[in-house]
Amino acid sequence: MRRIRNSKTTNVHIGVKNFGPVEKAEIDLRPLTVFVGESNSGKTYLSALIYALHHTFEGFPRFPWSISSIFYGLRHYYFGSHLSSPIGIKLKPEKNEEFLNTLEKLNNVKQPFKFSDLPQYMCSQLELGLKDSTVLKEELKRCFDLESISNLAKFTRNKSSRLSISLKVCDGKQNIWNFDMYCSGSKITVDGSANQDLVILSGSKKKLQETLGVEELMVYLDSTTFRGRAGNSYYLPAARSGIMQSHGVIASSLVERATRIGLERFPEITTFSGMIADFLKFIINYKDRKRTSNQIIKIAEKLEKDVLGGEIKISRPSPSAYPEFLYHPQKSNRDLRMNQSSSMVSELTPLVLFLRGIVKRGDTLIIEEPESHLHPGAQTQIAITLARLVRAGVRVIITTHSDWLLQQIGNLIREGELNKQEQDTSELPHWLSKEEVGAWWFHTDKPVQEIPYDRIEGIEPKDYEDVADGLYNNFVELERQFLKEEAVSEDE
């Protein structure tokens, strides 16, 4: 049986220049990717770009096309508008030879079937899909709520206004496929390519007949192959606390404005960014479907118990009504609406909901400032939750300003180093390895830099150390002045 050779994860590299506030960044996505640094330095911009790229390419799969797209193209190439290839249809001699060569390579059980084994026409057509800017351009405009992506290049002080975005998907150090976009003013250029040695199919136990037509070949391949799915992506924006406290009012307002009368009453409608719009859609249409794994559901339950100290409940006055989210504190006989609960509850409720009914293994979860409105002790617990998600197979990307969260991530990496000698048998493991964590430091008007993990220092941004030194020096100076005043008083 032939199968697409698909590694569990691909290595994803994203580079940008002159992108919003970011002068330059080279990011490798890890199972846990952390963006930390000054405000207005581009952490949210780069997070939104990752979200847009993920949507554009349906994740970052090892194989960027479906089997159906390849063999539909083959069928159309060989037989034109005919939907099947019965024996009665004669191919031109050159195409017949090409088809037989392709079939022979598919039948060769000793050699894998590579991208370069496809007819040259098909290779060229498929690579054109990696040279099309349309989908990413529209997705960037949607996510950033812009009329033109050229506006993304206006924030940097770099003399060069040329914006560039690059995406590389690799297997180890081997490049599998890449995509590059450049924007200068209104001019957009795109380039992309696939590795000619990319293995599409490997291994076979069934000999294909030489008389097999393209249509029959497609049916066979669709029934015996699979595409390595890269999972979905979800974005929890920094505004989630306010949205949770007022999502019912927001939904009602949107419905009112969507009518013809509403559009006349509100001619200038404020629009959402794509991430907030998607987040609202999930909240307004939320159903506790239990689509995720038991392990991820247990992570949500642990978060409710250890951090929220209560349970998130869903109420619907009628099947067609918008859901109302309630907080039921432990040892209480009443439920509280979100606007009656603490900021911590409304902040973490979306995370609980997404883990209970939306996020699955293989998905990517992007969270802006997961520590917002949380006590330092709760911030360290959130770091443990993130590590548990990594262990459950979820790729996590966060932006943060929390030194507590970073210190806990450092401790979890230390636990991971110890677990190399001792196997973790806990129900919800939460250790991390240093290879699984990538921390990136954002600083205004400087290229983004990776923060290396240190066994002693952990993950410590330089500006955090500078702030700590400044506070300590200020304390020492004030203490010196107090002692000086006390000495003067004693002399008097």
Side-chain angles (χ1 to χ4, degrees):
M1 180 179 293
R2 293 177 179 263
R3 291 191 179 276
I4 293 176
R5 197 175 69 184
N6 177 51
S7 56
K8 290 183 179 179
T9 58
T10 53
N11 299 326
V12 180
H13 179 86
I14 295 171
V16 299
K17 289 183 180 179
N18 299 320
F19 185 79
V22 182
E23 178 182 319
K24 182 180 179 181
E26 299 285 342
I27 302 294
D28 293 315
L29 294 188
R30 312 279 170 77
L32 175 59
T33 303
V34 182
F35 293 162
V36 60
E38 296 178 354
S39 299
N40 300 319
S41 57
K43 299 185 297 296
T44 296
Y45 268 76
L46 204 51
S47 300
L49 172 63
I50 294 170
Y51 186 70
L53 287 169
H54 200 286
H55 276 213
T56 298
F57 294 100
E58 298 180 6
F60 307 115
R62 189 178 189 281
F63 189 73
W65 309 281
S66 68
I67 285 291
S68 296
S69 69
I70 289 180
F71 290 99
Y72 178 83
L74 276 172
R75 179 181 62 191
H76 188 273
Y77 174 58
Y78 287 121
F79 299 102
S81 60
H82 292 284
L83 296 179
S84 59
S85 54
I87 302 301
I89 295 181
K90 299 293 185 180
L91 293 174
K92 292 182 179 180
E94 65 274 13
K95 286 191 176 182
N96 184 58
E97 182 179 355
E98 198 173 41
F99 175 70
L100 291 177
N101 286 338
T102 301
L103 193 60
E104 181 181 355
K105 291 175 182 177
L106 282 166
N107 272 324
N108 189 337
V109 297
K110 296 182 179 180
Q111 296 293 332
F113 187 79
K114 298 180 180 181
F115 180 78
S116 58
D117 291 329
L118 290 168
Q120 185 57 46
Y121 168 82
M122 281 302 302
C123 292
S124 300
Q125 289 298 309
L126 289 169
E127 285 198 313
L128 282 178
L130 293 175
K131 298 178 181 180
D132 184 3
S133 66
T134 306
V135 178
L136 179 58
K137 182 175 66 176
E138 294 304 314
E139 186 64 16
L140 286 172
K141 288 163 61 177
R142 187 186 78 90
C143 285
F144 288 93
D145 191 21
L146 297 171
E147 294 183 359
S148 170
I149 67 170
S150 62
N151 294 333
L152 289 170
K154 291 184 176 180
F155 294 91
T156 62
R157 296 181 181 178
N158 194 309
K159 293 181 180 179
S160 171
S161 61
R162 191 189 192 207
L163 179 155
S164 68
I165 299 169
S166 68
L167 168 64
K168 294 180 182 179
V169 177
C170 306
D171 184 359
K173 294 183 179 180
Q174 183 184 32
N175 184 39
I176 301 175
W177 58 273
N178 63 275
F179 172 88
D180 298 279
M181 173 185 280
Y182 307 94
C183 177
S184 182
S186 59
K187 183 180 179 181
I188 297 175
T189 57
V190 169
D191 192 16
S193 63
N195 189 334
Q196 297 296 304
D197 291 328
L198 172 64
V199 175
I200 299 176
L201 303 167
S202 63
S204 177
K205 293 183 179 179
K206 180 180 178 181
K207 181 77 172 177
L208 299 178
Q209 299 175 10
E210 291 184 1
T211 57
L212 190 67
V214 174
E215 181 71 16
E216 293 87 350
L217 181 62
M218 284 182 59
V219 172
Y220 169 74
L221 289 166
D222 278 343
S223 65
T224 59
T225 62
F226 67 90
R227 183 187 182 195
R229 298 187 179 277
N232 299 317
S233 62
Y234 304 100
Y235 199 110
L236 302 189
R240 58 188 175 273
S241 177
I243 292 174
M244 294 308 299
Q245 293 182 8
S246 58
H247 79 279
V249 175
I250 294 173
S252 299
S253 176
L254 290 174
V255 170
E256 181 182 2
R257 291 187 176 203
T259 63
R260 184 176 298 276
I261 295 176
L263 290 174
E264 292 174 355
R265 291 177 57 194
F266 306 102
E268 296 181 359
I269 299 178
T270 301
T271 53
F272 291 120
S273 69
M275 293 84 69
I276 292 181
D278 292 345
F279 176 76
L280 265 171
K281 179 181 68 174
F282 281 117
I283 294 300
I284 292 172
N285 299 317
Y286 187 82
K287 293 182 180 180
D288 214 351
R289 297 190 181 98
K290 305 294 184 184
R291 292 177 55 210
T292 188
S293 68
N294 289 332
Q295 186 179 9
I296 296 178
I297 292 174
K298 288 179 180 178
I299 294 173
E301 293 172 347
K302 191 72 172 173
L303 179 61
E304 289 177 288
K305 178 182 177 182
D306 293 349
V307 182
L308 290 177
E311 180 186 359
I312 303 303
K313 302 174 71 174
I314 304 171
S315 173
R316 278 188 176 84
S318 66
S320 60
Y322 298 125
E324 181 178 9
F325 304 103
L326 306 170
Y327 171 61
H328 186 89
Q330 293 172 355
K331 300 179 181 179
S332 174
N333 58 1
R334 58 175 299 202
D335 298 329
L336 302 176
R337 297 195 302 271
M338 285 292 115
N339 59 5
Q340 297 173 323
S341 306
S342 69
S343 297
M344 179 191 73
V345 171
S346 56
E347 190 72 31
L348 292 182
T349 292
L351 181 56
V352 171
L353 294 173
F354 272 63
L355 298 186
R356 273 195 344 206
I358 298 176
V359 176
K360 305 182 298 301
R361 181 180 181 86
D363 287 344
T364 295
L365 181 61
I366 304 173
I367 313 175
E368 284 192 77
E369 301 178 19
E371 76 277 4
S372 294
H373 305 297
L374 269 61
H375 180 273
Q379 294 180 33
T380 63
Q381 288 294 319
I382 287 299
I384 292 175
T385 298
L386 300 179
R388 285 172 173 156
L389 288 174
V390 170
R391 297 270 65 80
V394 178
R395 174 179 273 163
V396 181
I397 301 169
I398 66 168
T399 68
T400 184
H401 294 283
S402 171
D403 193 31
W404 307 101
L405 189 147
L406 292 175
Q407 289 186 36
Q408 181 68 303
I409 290 175
N411 283 338
L412 297 175
I413 296 174
R414 295 182 183 100
E415 286 189 27
E417 291 182 319
L418 294 174
N419 280 328
K420 290 180 180 179
Q421 288 79 34
E422 300 178 9
Q423 187 175 0
D424 190 340
T425 58
S426 59
E427 183 181 23
L428 294 175
H430 55 258
W431 55 271
L432 296 166
S433 70
K434 60 183 180 181
E435 293 80 14
E436 291 175 324
V437 180
W440 307 89
W441 180 51
F442 288 67
H443 194 284
T444 305
D445 299 327
K446 291 184 179 180
V448 175
Q449 297 176 325
E450 184 172 6
I451 306 172
Y453 165 76
D454 182 88
R455 182 174 292 183
I456 303 301
E457 299 295 333
I459 300 172
E460 184 69 30
K462 187 179 184 304
D463 53 347
Y464 281 25
E465 182 180 339
D466 294 341
V467 171
D469 289 344
L471 287 171
Y472 177 75
N473 292 336
N474 190 28
F475 162 76
V476 171
E477 176 61 24
L478 293 171
E479 187 67 15
R480 186 188 65 80
Q481 293 182 30
F482 275 123
L483 294 174
K484 183 178 180 180
E485 290 183 1
E486 289 176 2
V488 171
S489 299
E490 288 178 359
D491 290 343
E492 293 177 351

